[in-house]
Amino acid sequence: MRSYKVLTVCLGNICRSPAAQGILEFVASKHSISLALDSAGTAAYHVGNSPDSRSITALKQMGIDISQQKARQVSIADFDSFDWILAMDKENLSDLKKIQPEHSSAKLVMFGEFSEGVALGEISDPYYGGEEGFVHMREHITDVADAFVSHLNPRRER
Ligand code: 4NP
């Protein structure tokens, strides 16, 4: 079975990218695809912290436990250790492009636009809003994760 190393990246690594990591792990486990996942933030504000409790709760409601994740900042080495680096929004993508080494091997893309013909948009930052924003984030990430796994494994049954 082909295996891919995938890093999800947002700003703080406490709301969106830990959720994307957990949801991608869940979606991949239901289909015959092996993903080795991690997540990181472009900023260092929350390094060492657990995910935001609103993200933990929103994912727990779909049977996914992300409570053991710990935030870290993205590193230069990530650009060679991962096959894919998935940015949650345009600002994350732009910040990552600024530090991406010239000949690094990872495919750096916006999560919602990982290939031509797929445009599921930016994952909006729910941090300053209410809990409903985290439910919306969960639904949006699930749609993109399904499409991403189909992209990696196009013959899988949906
Ligand atoms: P995230 O959300 O990038 O999805 O983890 C945020 C978390 C923290 C902050 C901003 C966004 N912050 O400014 O502390």
Side-chain angles (χ1 to χ4, degrees), residues 16-47:
R16 293 165 292 171
S17 59
Q21 175 181 342
I23 290 171
L24 277 165
E25 278 165 358
F26 178 74
V27 170
S29 76
K30 288 197 302 177
H31 304 284
S32 54
I33 186 150
S34 166
L35 298 186
L37 281 141
D38 194 9
S39 68
T42 56
Y45 317 132
H46 298 283
V47 168

Side-chain angles (χ1 to χ4, degrees), residues 3 14 16 26 41 49 54 60 74 95 100 102 112 130 153:
S3 177
I14 55 167
R16 293 165 292 171
F26 178 74
N49 292 353
R54 295 165 296 176
K60 198 182 276 177
V74 72
D95 288 342
Q100 179 183 25
E102 205 176 333
N153 187 17

Side-chain angles (χ1 to χ4, degrees), residues 9-18 41-43 45-46 52 54-55 88-89 92 123-128 134 137:
V9 178
C10 61
L11 176 62
N13 193 210
I14 55 167
C15 299
R16 293 165 292 171
S17 59
T42 56
Y45 317 132
H46 298 283
D52 188 289
R54 295 165 296 176
S55 267
M88 296 296 117
D89 65 29
N92 306 148
I123 309 296
S124 317
D125 187 350
Y127 185 66
Y128 293 105
F134 285 79
M137 172 198 76

